[in-house]
Amino acid sequence: MNSPEQPGAVQVQDFPGGIVLPDNKAQSLQQPIRPGGLPPELWLPLQQHLGQPAITVVSEGDRVLKGQLLAAAQGPDSVPVHAPTSGLISAIAQRAVPHPSGMSDWCITLIPDGEDRWRERQPLPAYLELERDQLLARVHASGIAGLGGSGFATGRKLDSTRGHQIHQLILNGVECEPYITADQALMQERAEEILEGLALTAHLIEAKQCLIAIEDNKPAAIQAMQGALARHREDNSQLQRPTEIVVIPTKYPSGGEKQLIQMLTGQELPHGTLPADIGILCHNVATVAAIYRAVVHDEPLLSRIITLTGEALADPGNREALLGTPINYLLQQAGQDQAATRHLIMGGPMMGFELPSSQVPVVKTSNCLIAATVQEMPPAPPAQTCIRCGQCEQVCPMTLLPQQLLWFAQGSEHHKAEQHNLFDCIECGACAYVCPSHIPLVQHYRHSKGVLRKEQAEQASANRARERFEQRQARLEREKAEKEARRQARAEARKARQSETPAATGSPEQAPTSAEIAAPVDTQMLEQRREQAMAKREELLERLSAARDQALASTPQLERALAKHEQRLAALDQKLADARTPAQGQTP
Amino acid sequence: MTFIARSSPHAFSGNSTGRLMQWVMLASVPGLLAQTWFFGWGNLINVLWCMALAVGAEAVMLRIRKRPVRWQLEDCTALVTGLLLGLSLPPLLPWWISALAVISAIVMAKHLYGGLGNNPFNPAMVGYAVVLISFPLAMTTTWAMPAGAGDGGLSLWGTLVQIFAGSASSPAIDGVTMATPLDLYKQQIHRELASTVTQHPAFGDFVARGWEWVNLGFLAGGLLLLWRRIITWHIPVSFLAALAFMALLFGWDPDQSVPLSLHLLAGGTMLGAFFIATDPVSGATSNKGKLVYGAGIGALLYIIRAWGSYPDAVAFAVLLMNFAVPFIDHYTQPRSYGHQKPRRVS
């Protein structure tokens, strides 16, 4: 390990492949970050992250305050949604969300009242006194999902370090995609906030060392961060860990988590592991700034910085937009020339996706919006045949064989593609960028992945069904055998009693008590009830496994019902056993 | 408002197959100029003739296969096939033999296998091999005498007449052709010492009169292709290294066998290393695979030159290694990021 105290201690390594792109960042950096304004409506999707959607906790017609919880997280991968401003919940309905397919999803519509009234807040400046789990709970509750574009639940990511010693906390300020300047603007203007967030995060996960990676095409951001870091050092602040700003060469996709880890540590993240498994955690600069605001000021994630750019905009720049702000509202503010807009891209030109409509909201992962003219993004020429020139392979940062993967994808040999590590493809688009035959390689890979994922899901579902069936068969057989055994036991007992009866009659003083006479009747009734209970339990079990498969909301209810039933069954068994004991005790 | 749906990435480098091929053609100019300077108009006429014929054959085949003719001609690959044949065929070869080579290359080796991108064998080398096997005499006796080695070559008109109206066995051309240095050295070194052999005018003052400049010209063009990143260093370097290694190992004594300098700077060595072996379609793809592929060609080149019956062997070496490409590709998959070792698909 390098000695982290000295500046320049980190030796920046290279990663294989990669490309140098025209960066197109200057046009959105002419102005400082401006507020995105208060639109007439906010559309808040319940799923703005990877993982389970949140569940609404408000109803139509409710008045809500700024920062109030609107939808709660459902499981650890899920993140909650809060009201970006005070207002009225006018609808909870399906509407278009930012997605390449133009699909609709559940959204909460909030009509702002213009007062921007906060709910009661509990700031926490002395966070160092809090336990790790308490801090983590605050992050979980704040609705932060990876703001770099991944949308992975931040609380979950922090939690992934449990049981791991984190040697390096890497702050990703690389922003390697062209056009996007949201992180760069944030670093230039709010370096302090980022460092506060870094200090807090490092404290939370007990990181040994912090590295802040910035590409060398952002000198102003580097300077601002260095200045803030120097001030922090002087103030002897909460950033007690050795921290270093690492300037890395500009090469796409250096901001990819795996590539960044390779550049800063020389290590490759082994296939199928998380960075925490090798003692590393990466966070986007905007994410840690949001963590700081959430924990210290009790401000959940309500807005984000989004780069509005592209030649169809008269006034490009970075806006701090409330989550849920309609895209067309922002575009209007930026002076969009609608006629000249040929493509509307959310995200960067390399990995972003085309929006089918501008009637969609800003979500937690929306880092950039490009309104491109036809000159800016001319239509791709028709694809020619692959000539196996291997340029794709030279630029692939994951050292895959793109042309081979294409061959398999085209021939529907998806399993071969999988064996050639198709799922390691990060879809950075470098291969398609350089392809002289203009083949939409990434699209082919996505198709292959889709086919394989579907197949896997179907396979898993079929396996579950088979298992269920086999278990049911086994259970039925077992029960049948038990029933038979009981029946035989009863028959034998009866036979034994009958053979004893004459002897019993011979001794009149040994006449059975009324309770003992009633006992067999009682047992029979109990057994009948037990049979019924078993049947009911079986039915419940089946319904539960079906519900689990389909991830129905009724699962917990069914679980509770089953547990209750098991108790009842146990009680019946006990009663039955009790009822039998005296009877058996008497017979011999 | 709706937009034209397109999948990422939304930006492109502006690279195209046509552009790559144009660079290849441009890079061949120094070598072609040297050929013209030393061996007369023959190669230039061959190049033009083969290129024109290649485009014609390509157009006909595309039409027959119901493909967009104009659009596919723009990829310039047929032009490059014609160019490579024109550069490698002997300068005074009769026109119909060149035509046969071009048609074999475009029709047989390229389109019958499915057209661009699907041909397992290098089309130009298939064409070359077909005519070399069919017309061995014409292919070995029509190399023009290098300038400075004799009384002076043919005029432009004389060359045209020889190519389009002459015959390979006509006595008229005996005076203007000469065995290639590789051939000559190989034949003579069994009888004489190296110092005597190299007295022959074919060797000139340096290595091989004319040939050394042609090879240096192709080397320069190859460096241009490397600089423009149209080819990678792997194939040329391993090709030349393997050839040099074999030449030093088995041919260290110039009194016994052809020396290294002649191997590197005579015959089609540099044209083969930078322009022919680097054909992407029929070559190995991974960097490691390219090293193996190039080394295989270099080694085979030496083997056929030294112990085979042909004086030069770029075409056969390349074709033989084309056969091995699927095998090489299978065993030279790169290790992907985060994986211990490459997985092999059975």
Side-chain angles (χ1 to χ4, degrees):
Chain A
M1 189 69 31
N2 302 315
S3 140
E5 298 288 359
Q6 292 149 12
V10 170
Q11 284 282 313
V12 178
Q13 327 250 336
D14 196 10
F15 65 89
I19 42 177
V20 178
L21 297 163
D23 71 3
N24 277 312
K25 288 181 191 265
Q27 51 271 53
S28 56
L29 286 169
Q30 305 300 322
Q31 301 245 16
I33 302 168
R34 286 170 281 173
L38 193 64
E41 271 190 359
L42 295 171
W43 306 322
L44 297 150
L46 297 182
Q47 187 175 22
Q48 305 182 31
H49 52 268
L50 282 177
Q52 291 280 307
I55 303 178
T56 45
V57 295
V58 289
S59 318
E60 290 180 1
D62 283 2
R63 295 214 155 263
V64 294
L65 294 173
K66 181 175 186 173
Q68 187 178 329
L69 184 70
L70 300 183
Q74 191 186 8
D77 283 337
S78 179
V79 294
V81 179
H82 301 82
T85 183
S86 57
L88 177 77
I89 304 296
S90 69
I92 300 173
Q94 295 240 336
R95 60 168 306 129
V97 292
H99 191 273
S101 70
M103 71 174 195
S104 293
D105 202 357
W106 289 97
C107 293
I108 299 173
T109 304
L110 174 69
I111 298 179
D113 56 15
E115 291 172 27
D116 208 28
R117 242 173 337 120
W118 265 100
R119 64 158 161 76
E120 202 179 313
R121 274 179 293 169
Q122 281 141 359
L124 181 69
Y127 63 80
L128 288 177
E129 290 156 19
L130 251 65
E131 294 278 313
R132 173 197 169 105
D133 281 343
Q134 289 170 295
L135 285 175
L136 210 51
R138 250 178 123 104
V139 176
H140 264 303
S142 64
I144 305 173
L147 294 175
S150 75
F152 192 80
T154 300
R156 178 68 191 256
K157 196 170 185 178
L158 290 172
D159 209 18
S160 76
T161 63
R162 198 180 289 273
H164 295 284
Q165 171 67 55
I166 298 299
H167 299 290
Q168 281 142 331
L169 169 61
I170 297 176
L171 211 49
N172 189 342
V174 176
E175 205 163 51
C176 58
E177 264 210 75
Y179 285 98
I180 314 176
T181 57
D183 290 345
Q184 188 173 353
L186 185 80
M187 287 189 281
Q188 280 170 217
E189 296 178 37
R190 300 181 194 171
E192 298 286 349
E193 231 170 73
I194 296 171
L195 287 182
E196 293 284 356
L198 178 66
L200 200 163
T201 313
H203 164 72
L204 202 161
I205 60 170
E206 290 162 16
K208 281 190 177 163
Q209 182 193 12
C210 303
L211 301 175
I212 306 170
I214 311 174
E215 263 188 339
D216 60 8
N217 64 351
K218 304 175 180 64
I222 295 167
Q223 210 184 350
M225 291 295 286
Q226 273 168 344
L229 187 59
R231 283 195 294 282
H232 257 268
R233 286 209 178 107
E234 278 168 23
D235 297 352
N236 200 10
S237 73
Q238 287 162 324
L239 185 58
Q240 297 143 333
R241 278 145 178 100
T243 301
E244 191 182 323
I245 292 174
V246 188
V247 179
I248 61 168
T250 300
K251 183 170 96 165
Y252 179 83
S254 53
E257 188 172 73
K258 289 173 175 168
Q259 282 65 41
L260 190 57
I261 289 173
Q262 196 172 14
M263 285 183 110
L264 298 191
T265 70
Q267 295 184 77
E268 287 182 12
L269 185 61
H271 173 76
T273 60
L274 290 173
D277 297 333
I278 57 168
I280 294 172
L281 195 73
C282 295
H283 268 299
N284 176 270
V285 284
T287 309
V288 296
I291 293 176
Y292 161 74
R293 299 191 75 85
V295 173
V296 176
H297 298 294
D298 194 14
E299 287 176 20
L301 186 67
L302 305 182
S303 64
R304 70 153 299 139
I305 296 172
I306 178 167
T307 305
L308 305 180
T309 186
E311 280 170 18
L313 300 185
D315 183 20
N318 283 293
R319 310 290 170 120
E320 183 162 14
L322 295 180
L323 297 175
T325 304
I327 295 294
N328 53 0
Y329 176 82
L330 285 177
L331 290 175
Q332 268 168 21
Q333 297 223 322
Q336 183 200 14
D337 179 350
Q338 290 215 5
T341 309
R342 172 61 73 94
H343 295 287
L344 190 57
I345 286 154
M346 186 170 270
M350 297 301 287
M351 293 184 72
F353 57 90
E354 182 114 37
L355 284 179
S357 149
S358 60
Q359 301 277 343
V360 292
V362 171
V363 294
K364 290 172 184 174
T365 53
S366 316
N367 51 5
C368 182
L369 199 61
I370 309 172
T373 60
V374 68
Q375 290 82 11
E376 203 173 7
M377 288 188 187
Q384 288 168 300
T385 336
C386 170
I387 55 164
R388 309 200 336 145
C389 68
Q391 299 212 355
C392 46
E393 198 188 319
Q394 303 298 326
V395 300
C396 179
M398 298 299 288
T399 44
L400 302 171
L401 285 171
Q403 80 282 10
Q404 206 59 41
L405 292 176
L406 169 74
W407 188 259
F408 294 140
Q410 282 179 326
S412 293
E413 294 179 294
H414 305 299
H415 288 280
K416 281 193 179 172
E418 193 181 1
Q419 284 173 297
H420 274 73
N421 304 324
L422 171 70
F423 281 100
D424 285 286
C425 169
I426 57 170
E427 299 182 17
C428 69
C431 50
Y433 181 84
V434 298
C435 180
S437 299
H438 315 117
I439 301 169
L441 291 158
V442 182
Q443 180 63 11
H444 281 285
Y445 306 151
R446 281 198 198 104
H447 169 72
S448 255
K449 284 182 185 174
V451 172
L452 287 166
R453 281 203 193 100
K454 193 169 165 225
E455 211 169 84
Q456 281 161 4
E458 278 166 4
Q459 186 62 45
S461 163
N463 283 346
R464 271 200 305 274
R466 200 188 59 235
E467 241 167 63
R468 210 161 55 227
F469 177 75
E470 282 168 1
Q471 280 174 0
R472 182 169 184 270
Q473 285 305 98
R475 199 182 66 239
L476 289 179
E477 303 245 316
R478 200 178 57 237
E479 283 170 6
K480 207 168 150 192
E482 279 171 10
K483 208 167 156 185
E484 181 60 26
R486 277 199 305 275
R487 199 186 60 75
Q488 275 185 356
R490 271 203 310 276
E492 261 160 45
R494 204 158 45 229
K495 229 181 258 170
R497 254 199 318 276
Q498 275 168 0
S499 62
E500 273 174 25
T501 320
T505 41
S507 53
E509 66 267 56
Q510 283 255 318
T513 61
S514 61
E516 279 159 351
I517 294 168
V521 184
D522 199 0
T523 331
Q524 245 172 20
M525 191 188 74
L526 275 172
E527 271 195 32
Q528 215 169 16
R529 274 168 62 189
R530 189 168 173 279
E531 292 291 323
Q532 284 170 355
M534 292 280 268
K536 174 86 179 170
R537 174 167 161 268
E538 190 179 306
E539 185 205 325
L540 271 173
L541 267 173
E542 245 158 73
R543 275 175 57 191
L544 181 62
S545 60
R548 274 192 188 134
D549 277 359
Q550 294 162 27
L552 287 183
S554 56
T555 314
Q557 283 173 2
L558 278 169
E559 271 169 359
R560 274 198 301 278
L562 186 67
K564 227 174 180 177
H565 215 78
E566 301 269 14
Q567 275 178 8
R568 191 179 300 160
L569 203 61
L572 270 170
D573 274 341
Q574 185 59 45
K575 261 191 203 166
L576 201 61
D578 288 350
R580 272 185 194 146
T581 331
Q584 279 170 356
Q586 189 230 359
T587 34
Chain B
M1 196 191 318
T2 54
F3 304 94
I4 301 154
R6 183 164 72 174
S7 144
S8 71
H10 308 278
F12 301 96
S13 59
N15 206 351
S16 75
T17 307
R19 185 74 54 83
L20 296 185
M21 296 302 149
Q22 283 158 14
W23 273 104
V24 172
M25 290 190 271
L26 185 71
S28 72
V29 168
L32 179 60
L33 286 180
Q35 277 186 337
T36 311
W37 178 264
F38 287 101
F39 299 103
W41 298 100
N43 278 112
L44 191 61
I45 296 168
N46 266 353
V47 162
L48 295 174
W49 167 237
C50 291
M51 282 168 86
L53 208 59
V55 170
E58 173 104 337
V60 170
M61 286 312 287
L62 288 172
R63 172 64 60 84
I64 293 172
R65 295 180 58 221
K66 300 190 172 63
R67 301 294 152 115
V69 176
R70 210 195 144 86
W71 180 66
Q72 288 213 350
L73 283 179
E74 278 171 10
D75 64 34
C76 299
T77 49
L79 280 174
V80 169
T81 303
L83 170 76
L84 293 177
L85 272 173
L87 293 173
S88 27
L89 292 172
L92 299 176
L93 193 69
W95 64 272
W96 52 273
I97 298 183
S98 317
L100 186 67
V102 171
I103 289 165
S104 305
I106 298 289
V107 177
M108 225 168 65
K110 189 176 181 185
H111 282 283
L112 291 191
Y113 279 99
L116 179 64
N118 296 313
N119 46 301
F121 302 105
N122 185 317
M125 290 304 103
V126 169
Y128 188 91
V130 164
V131 293
L132 180 59
I133 295 169
S134 312
F135 310 99
L137 188 70
M139 287 291 285
T140 45
T141 57
T142 49
W143 265 103
M145 189 185 293
D151 308 330
L154 289 169
S155 65
L156 175 58
W157 178 247
T159 312
L160 279 170
V161 168
Q162 175 55 38
I163 290 175
F164 289 97
S167 109
S169 54
S170 71
I173 74 161
D174 282 353
V176 290
T177 58
M178 183 182 271
T180 62
L182 275 174
D183 199 7
L184 206 62
Y185 202 103
K186 192 171 156 185
Q187 304 300 330
Q188 298 299 317
I189 199 65
H190 299 305
R191 283 169 238 148
E192 295 160 32
L193 286 180
S195 49
T196 327
V197 174
T198 48
Q199 292 303 310
H200 190 278
F203 296 96
D205 311 321
F206 185 29
V207 179
R209 191 187 296 279
W211 287 94
E212 66 239 345
W213 294 107
V214 172
N215 273 285
L216 288 174
F218 286 125
L219 173 63
L223 295 178
L224 174 72
L225 292 181
L226 274 178
W227 174 65
R228 294 298 309 169
R229 297 194 184 187
I230 288 166
I231 58 172
T232 64
W233 58 269
H234 305 85
I235 291 177
V237 167
S238 64
F239 177 118
L240 296 175
L243 179 64
F245 174 78
M246 295 290 281
L248 289 176
L249 187 65
F250 297 104
W252 52 272
D253 182 4
D255 288 328
Q256 301 275 326
S257 44
V258 180
L260 174 64
S261 56
L262 210 53
H263 271 297
L264 289 181
L265 291 177
T269 307
M270 293 297 170
L271 179 67
F274 289 94
F275 290 81
I276 293 170
T278 52
D279 167 43
V281 177
S282 55
T285 54
S286 70
N287 289 342
K288 224 190 321 174
K290 284 176 185 162
L291 287 175
V292 176
Y293 175 75
I297 297 176
L300 280 172
L301 182 62
Y302 184 83
I303 290 170
I304 303 173
R305 275 181 181 177
W307 301 302
S309 56
Y310 291 98
D312 203 356
V314 173
F316 292 127
V318 167
L319 290 174
L320 283 172
M321 287 313 285
N322 285 165
F323 275 110
V325 161
F327 175 78
I328 296 173
D329 280 348
H330 184 81
Y331 284 102
T332 53
Q333 282 173 37
R335 185 186 64 84
S336 299
Y337 178 104
H339 286 268
Q340 290 294 320
K341 53 183 170 200
R343 284 200 221 162
R344 287 193 188 112
V345 181
S346 48

